Amino acid sequence: MKNILSDILLSAAKKAFDKQKLASSDFPAFGIEEPKLSAHGDFSSNFAMVMASLQKMPPRKIAEAITAEIEDTEGVIDKIEIAGPGFINFFINPCAWHSVLRTIYEKDEKFGSCDIGKNRKVQVEFVSANPTGPLHVGHGRGAAVGDSTANILSFCGYDVQREYYINDSGRQISTLGRSVYLRYKELHEEKINFPGDCYQGDYIRDIAQKIKNENQIDLLDEPEEKAVMFCARFAADDILADIKNDLELFGVKFDNWYSEQSLFDSGKVKSVLEDFKNKNIIYEKDGAFWFKTSEYGDEKDRVVIRNNGLTTYFASDIAYHIDKFDRGFERIVDVWGADHHGYIQRICASIEASGQKEDQFNVILIQLVNLLRNGEPVAMSTRSGEFVTLEDVVKEVGADAARFIFLTRHYESHLDFDLELAKKKSNENPVYYVQYVHARISSIIRKADELGVKEIRYDDKNITVLKEAEEIQILKILSTYPEVVKSSAELLEPHRITYYLMNLAAAFHSYYNKCRVLSDDPVITKNRLFLVLAIKKVIRNGLKLLGVSAPEIM
């Protein structure tokens, strides 16, 4: 509808210019929004205001000139009013909303999709948790956001690849190996004073026990350095296998698992650093090598090779992000924890220094999740190893509830996740509230079939029987779905889909409580069935983008 009104306004403005009612044919970008008050119409445009400086006329005079030339050939406008300083308010003919039902039926699973991506290659990298311990609920939120963002971008015409970056190199892996090795020694009845900087969780003991049970060689007979390295690799592989399993149970599958160590093995890190040295982007100072990130907007330069000759994490991250573009991705989206905010500018610097544009790189920052049970905080401490894992949450509340609730707020906002609420079969539980609509409509359609209504189709002749205020409101909401999906893709904000579905569910519940779908009037029944079937299709489509199922029975 916004597109139709935009075309109508532009056409009218051109006619007004041709008749010399306007001084300029240059029409800047303008907005068409839904007013907060229904008394101001269905839509309102600031077209006259944004034109005022060019036309050198009062906005209200411009609005009068434009509205005088409006031709509504499609019959969508019921009334036009000029309000305040020059807002153009449109009141839409109720019958104009009915056509969205036919569009939903024709496009079915594709309703809401678009081609803004033009098949451009986009990589979404998310979760990428170090393989040093199980995934926790914070990782779960990042997984839900990353996977849904990838779904939405794909639905909007992008060629999307999902990637998990495995941090299988560096100090944290050495610490993991040392932690497991010390627990291994304990299993052989050695008394160990376990260091506080090692990984504390029971899973470390479990891995040590696996090594003892499965390994033919006694690691105590090996040089300690070799034994620690063996424990590190064994533990990382074991933890990564569990991570993959947890993510699969959560409905997340990656197209590619990319090893940090492979960047060193292939010589990528070394070649990138040498290239930057040759370009004088990296310089030597105090025995270390520094990247001139301050020349690219960072607050200071950053070390890439320490004075002991070891590379920093930043060095491998530079190589990794350059490699993404080398693989042909035109845009990359990273999903990070909010504590990585300060890291964004230095990665932007490396991307710009490599010859790519900074706007080809987007970062989604995920805020913390406060896990609750009946409103009371659930204690979590990664240092002590006493924390609720993503696996625990999924097993308790289910993947659908977890994913949906993770997406009920903007990812930059803290999220309260109540485990007991997520299990409730009531309208308090947001995922149940939405899924129930899909299941309820499925039940209505089955009942209609039992009553002999076998075919649900668009009734061009009688569709106007859908005239109740609640029906028109639902039609309006349905018509906005493509715009919501598009904006979700453009802004990388999957929570917009969640908000939309809850709004549509609320409209259905209100409608269902007031109007009988299966009435005594066969014409009304058939058209209302077509309406609720459209609602069902859109809810299914939206839930699919969120990675949540649409049950037929609940």
Side-chain angles (χ1 to χ4, degrees):
M1 192 62 71
K2 285 185 179 180
N3 290 337
I4 292 170
L5 295 177
S6 177
D7 290 343
I8 287 173
L9 280 172
L10 285 171
S11 177
K14 288 173 185 174
K15 288 177 184 175
F17 172 75
D18 290 341
K19 293 182 179 181
Q20 299 183 340
K21 293 181 179 180
L22 297 178
S24 172
S25 60
D26 186 9
F27 308 128
F30 60 94
I32 298 177
E33 303 297 335
E34 296 178 49
K36 292 181 180 179
L37 299 176
S38 59
H40 295 162
D42 294 295
F43 296 100
S44 182
S45 178
N46 64 350
F47 193 25
M49 269 83 81
V50 299
M51 290 176 64
S53 60
L54 281 170
Q55 302 296 338
K56 298 186 179 359
M57 292 170 59
R60 195 169 181 92
K61 288 287 185 184
I62 296 171
E64 290 169 356
I66 292 172
T67 55
E69 301 301 328
I70 284 179
E71 289 185 18
D72 180 20
T73 56
E74 297 191 42
V76 300
I77 301 172
D78 198 29
K79 184 174 65 171
I80 299 173
E81 288 181 353
I82 300 171
F87 285 102
I88 302 174
N89 294 341
F90 295 94
F91 296 78
I92 303 302
N93 184 335
C95 294
W97 299 105
H98 292 129
S99 61
V100 70
L101 297 178
R102 178 184 288 175
T103 304
I104 293 169
Y105 182 79
E106 290 172 350
K107 293 191 174 182
D108 200 19
E109 292 183 351
K110 293 291 184 182
F111 179 70
S113 65
C114 62
D115 191 32
I116 59 172
K118 304 293 181 188
N119 208 38
R120 284 172 291 184
K121 288 187 69 176
V122 176
Q123 186 213 65
V124 182
E125 181 229 321
F126 57 106
V127 185
S128 297
N130 295 338
T132 55
L135 297 179
H136 55 66
V137 289
H139 295 131
R141 190 180 190 188
V145 169
D147 194 44
S148 299
T149 297
N151 288 340
I152 293 163
L153 289 172
S154 180
F155 198 58
C156 290
Y158 289 91
D159 179 8
V160 181
Q161 185 197 69
R162 295 163 170 81
E163 183 157 287
Y164 188 113
Y165 181 53
I166 310 166
N167 298 106
D168 54 357
S169 178
R171 189 175 58 219
Q172 81 275 4
I173 295 298
S174 299
T175 303
L176 175 66
R178 188 159 62 98
S179 304
V180 172
Y181 180 63
L182 291 175
R183 293 303 187 197
Y184 178 86
K185 292 176 80 171
E186 284 183 339
L187 292 173
H188 287 81
E189 300 184 353
E190 284 197 34
K191 194 166 183 180
I192 300 294
N193 184 16
F194 201 76
D197 62 347
C198 283
Y199 294 103
Q200 306 290 318
D202 289 341
Y203 68 95
I204 297 294
R205 277 197 188 83
D206 296 339
I207 293 170
Q209 187 68 57
K210 279 186 184 179
I211 292 174
K212 183 181 178 184
N213 294 343
E214 299 174 13
N215 193 26
Q216 306 254 329
I217 302 169
D218 188 345
L219 292 181
L220 300 182
D221 295 334
E222 300 291 323
E224 184 168 317
E225 186 178 342
K226 184 178 178 181
V228 168
M229 182 56 67
F230 177 88
C231 288
R233 293 297 164 209
F234 185 98
D237 289 346
D238 187 76
I239 291 169
L240 190 62
D242 286 341
I243 287 173
K244 289 181 177 180
N245 185 59
D246 290 347
L247 288 169
E248 193 164 325
L249 289 173
F250 196 51
V252 175
K253 291 184 179 179
F254 287 91
D255 302 304
N256 194 35
W257 296 75
Y258 194 104
S259 163
E260 178 187 9
Q261 185 60 43
S262 71
L263 290 166
F264 293 96
D265 296 341
S266 67
K268 184 81 178 181
V269 175
K270 183 179 179 181
S271 67
V272 166
L273 296 183
E274 286 298 323
D275 181 50
F276 279 10
K277 285 179 188 177
N278 294 336
K279 292 176 179 176
N280 200 32
I281 297 169
I282 291 176
Y283 64 94
E284 187 176 2
K285 175 186 165 186
D286 300 330
F289 286 89
W290 300 69
F291 188 127
K292 294 181 180 178
T293 46
S294 61
E295 293 187 2
Y296 297 92
D298 197 9
E299 61 185 3
K300 61 182 180 180
D301 293 347
R302 307 288 178 175
V303 175
V304 289
I305 304 176
R306 298 184 182 93
N307 53 19
N308 61 5
L310 297 177
T311 55
T312 61
Y313 289 124
F314 182 39
S316 51
D317 281 339
I318 293 169
Y320 176 49
H321 284 83
I322 289 174
D323 182 72
K324 293 185 182 194
F325 289 110
D326 288 346
R327 283 184 273 157
F329 294 108
E330 299 170 67
R331 182 183 179 191
I332 55 181
V333 179
D334 287 2
V335 180
W336 298 347
D339 56 337
H340 286 72
H341 181 271
Y343 207 68
I344 295 175
Q345 193 53 53
R346 69 189 76 171
I347 296 297
C348 287
S350 68
I351 288 170
E352 193 175 342
S354 70
Q356 304 294 336
K357 294 178 181 177
E358 190 177 325
D359 61 6
Q360 291 176 271
F361 173 60
N362 301 103
V363 177
I364 291 172
L365 293 175
I366 307 294
Q367 278 291 351
L368 296 173
V369 177
N370 302 314
L371 201 61
L372 309 174
R373 189 179 296 280
N374 287 324
E376 294 298 319
V378 176
M380 292 189 290
S381 170
T382 54
R383 172 53 61 189
S384 68
E386 297 173 1
F387 52 86
V388 179
T389 65
L390 175 62
E391 179 187 18
D392 293 333
V393 172
V394 171
K395 283 183 176 178
E396 182 167 351
V397 308
D400 280 350
R403 286 186 68 127
F404 195 94
I405 291 172
F406 281 139
L407 296 167
T408 51
R409 299 197 70 189
H410 193 289
Y411 43 72
E412 290 182 353
S413 300
H414 287 273
L415 175 72
D416 289 337
F417 188 119
D418 195 305
L419 292 164
E420 295 304 319
L421 176 65
K423 292 186 289 185
K424 283 187 177 180
K425 297 186 186 304
S426 72
N427 289 346
E428 294 175 81
N429 181 352
V431 66
Y432 182 86
Y433 188 66
V434 173
Q435 286 182 319
Y436 184 76
V437 173
H438 190 274
R440 167 60 70 186
I441 294 172
S442 299
S443 173
I444 292 169
I445 291 170
R446 287 193 297 272
K447 182 67 175 176
D449 184 69
E450 292 170 8
L451 294 174
V453 184
K454 302 294 184 183
E455 187 179 13
I456 303 174
R457 58 183 176 81
Y458 190 80
D459 185 352
D460 204 9
K461 191 185 298 183
N462 297 305
I463 195 70
T464 52
V465 298
L466 299 177
K467 59 186 179 183
E468 296 290 337
E470 291 80 6
E471 290 169 334
I472 300 301
Q473 179 62 20
I474 286 173
L475 292 172
K476 289 179 182 179
I477 294 171
L478 292 174
S479 72
T480 64
Y481 180 66
E483 183 184 354
V484 171
V485 175
K486 183 183 175 185
S487 64
S488 295
E490 291 173 335
L491 299 171
L492 304 177
E493 293 181 346
H495 75 283
R496 289 172 176 264
I497 306 291
T498 316
Y499 281 4
Y500 173 87
L501 292 176
M502 293 174 70
N503 188 31
L504 178 57
F508 170 80
H509 286 299
S510 175
Y511 174 58
Y512 185 74
N513 289 333
K514 181 178 177 181
C515 304
R516 288 184 61 197
V517 175
L518 303 178
S519 72
D520 296 330
D521 186 322
V523 173
I524 290 177
T525 294
K526 286 185 177 181
N527 283 282
R528 285 183 174 172
L529 280 170
F530 197 81
L531 172 64
V532 297
L533 179 59
I535 297 170
K536 180 186 175 186
K537 289 177 183 292
V538 173
I539 284 190
R540 174 204 62 197
N541 291 2
L543 288 174
K544 186 176 181 181
L545 292 179
L546 302 179
V548 175
S549 70
E552 297 287 324
I553 299 172
M554 289 180 74

